[in-house]
Amino acid sequence: MSVTAAQGFTAAGVVAGLKSTGRRDVALVVNTGRSKAAAAVFTSNRAKAHPVLWSQQVLGDGIAEAVVLNSGGANCFTGPFGFQTTHATAEAVAESLGVSAGDVVVCSTGLIGVGDQVFRDKVLAGAREAAAGLGVDGGADAAEAIMTTDSVPKQAVVAGDGWVVGGMAKGAGMLAPGLATMLVVLTTDADLPADVLDAALRGATRVTFDRLDSDGCMSTNDTVVLLSSAESGVTPAADDFAAAVTELCADLARQLQADAEGASHDIRIEVVGAVDEDDAVEVGRSIARNALFKAAVFGNDPNWGRVLAAIGTTGAAFDPYDVDVSMNGVRVCHAGAPDVPSESVDLTPRAVHVLVDLRAGGAEATILTNDLTHDYVHENSAYSS
């Protein structure tokens, strides 16, 4: 179980006909517990989908009773009709559950510009069907229903001392930082108020989902929501809860990285020796977004010159001629000059570790990314066809 691992949660995933594949495409997660505390983070893209605009309002008071999600259509740039669709979806769930529509978070994922009457009818019917089929064993179906180009569902659970945090996520492309980088629903039965949930969630996303930069493309629909039922009756220390949420988010982020569209390498870029964390992140992200570097990794080519060229475009404080670069445990560059021959590096395994030592300070950060492959280009060239 994932989102239903914590006490006080039910879920469902149904086939509403939004996908031509006939797979599940509408999910619902409901908090049946004594607390309805909630927190969320959303994309920082200025082009926000209607469900994001709606859900930002819902979470304004730190309360949410349910999260309804659909795949097969982003409902973004669909005009006033699209926002009305989002509102109608929340109302359909609210009516089915006997709650307020203003406490229903709505999430959508799929092709931008999809949101006509046919789409609306299918989403509303799916939401009602999901509400009728809720169960504590519905977490797996819900995780499947939010998939788009994902090849597998993503679920994880972390157990605390008498309490649990569970979650599900989707995302295989358009993974770039913006407070959140995909659709994620997290649940807990720990008894904590909304402000503690919010602090834990923001702290976790900052060092997990925000550090996943698969293709440098930020979505319009990104949402990560955390719900608390308080059904365990246990109030953990804020630090312990935050650590569990971070562990859970890190697990889901790694699953997202491993399922990135068409990728053949999972690349972990570790930057050490930075003046501060911001510099380390900037340097790591510059490498992660460098198309030439990503193409080299795809070809199993340890071209460390592309790493140095990428970090030289940043504003971080370091001397380019005092930098060390290692790939899969082999230091190929020392003090800005060749070290061990590049032929000593084996990049054939799927896991690739790039270590960059800026030799300028004591801060560090890690960015997760993938290589740039023929399959990635093909899949995204045909995404809307």
Side-chain angles (χ1 to χ4, degrees):
M1 295 188 293
S2 59
V3 289
T4 55
Q7 300 176 66
F9 291 95
T10 57
V14 302
V15 178
L18 296 168
K19 296 176 181 174
S20 59
T21 59
R23 292 166 57 178
R24 291 183 175 88
D25 46 23
V26 172
L28 181 62
V29 179
V30 177
N31 183 350
T32 62
R34 56 191 179 88
S35 172
K36 311 298 182 183
V41 290
F42 301 93
T43 181
S44 60
N45 196 325
R46 291 170 57 199
K48 291 178 171 60
H50 295 304
V52 171
L53 298 173
W54 168 270
S55 298
Q56 285 178 316
Q57 297 178 36
V58 169
L59 271 301
D61 61 358
I63 295 173
E65 302 230 22
V67 183
V68 58
L69 315 93
N70 76 270
S71 55
N75 193 13
C76 179
F77 293 119
T78 49
F81 182 87
F83 190 81
Q84 293 164 9
T85 297
T86 297
H87 192 172
T89 304
E91 288 181 328
V93 171
E95 182 179 353
S96 299
L97 301 179
V99 301
S100 168
D103 292 329
V104 177
V105 175
V106 181
C107 302
S108 298
T109 180
L111 189 64
I112 291 173
V114 173
D116 57 12
Q117 186 64 51
V118 173
F119 172 85
R120 176 189 287 186
D121 291 344
K122 289 180 177 180
V123 170
L124 297 184
R128 295 187 179 99
E129 182 181 350
L134 290 165
V136 294
D137 58 348
D141 288 348
E144 178 186 327
I146 62 176
M147 294 166 54
T148 49
T149 57
D150 307 65
S151 64
V152 293
K154 288 90 175 173
Q155 305 175 78
V157 175
V158 173
D161 187 7
W163 50 275
V164 170
V165 184
M168 66 179 187
K170 70 80 49 184
M174 295 190 82
L175 299 181
L179 294 180
T181 50
M182 67 295 295
L183 297 187
V184 180
V185 179
L186 309 176
T187 59
T188 184
D189 50 19
D191 187 358
L192 294 166
D195 61 332
V196 176
L197 300 181
D198 185 76
L201 184 62
R202 292 184 184 278
T205 56
R206 187 183 70 82
V207 296
T208 58
F209 297 138
D210 277 4
R211 305 281 173 89
L212 173 59
D213 204 327
S214 181
D215 54 17
C217 300
M218 185 189 301
S219 174
T220 57
N221 292 61
D222 303 333
T223 302
V224 178
V225 59
L226 171 59
L227 311 172
S228 170
S229 68
E231 282 298 295
S232 71
V234 178
T235 301
D239 287 348
D240 291 341
F241 180 71
V245 174
T246 299
E247 180 182 347
L248 181 69
C249 291
D251 188 333
L252 291 171
R254 288 190 294 268
Q255 292 184 51
L256 293 165
Q257 179 195 25
D259 196 30
E261 294 168 343
S264 63
H265 291 86
D266 302 327
I267 308 169
R268 179 166 60 95
I269 302 169
E270 184 181 1
V271 180
V272 301
V275 169
D276 55 33
E277 186 180 29
D278 287 344
D279 273 10
V281 170
E282 182 183 3
V283 166
R285 203 175 309 291
S286 180
I287 301 168
R289 293 185 173 183
N290 187 280
L292 289 177
F293 162 74
K294 293 159 78 76
V297 174
F298 170 60
N300 301 323
D301 177 13
N303 191 334
W304 55 268
R306 292 179 176 177
V307 173
L308 290 182
I311 69 178
T313 67
T314 71
F318 64 89
D319 181 350
Y321 294 95
D322 197 27
V323 172
D324 292 348
V325 178
S326 300
M327 293 185 171
N328 280 359
V330 178
R331 193 174 70 178
V332 288
C333 168
H334 174 55
D339 195 2
V340 174
S342 297
E343 299 79 52
S344 304
V345 180
D346 182 10
L347 293 185
T348 57
R350 184 174 180 96
V352 172
H353 176 218
V354 177
L355 175 64
V356 177
D357 189 348
L358 299 179
R359 299 161 64 96
E364 60 185 59
T366 298
I367 303 293
L368 304 179
T369 191
N370 308 93
D371 55 349
L372 179 59
T373 68
H374 301 303
D375 288 343
Y376 174 84
V377 175
H378 173 73
E379 185 164 342
N380 284 281
S381 68
Y383 183 72
S384 61
S385 61

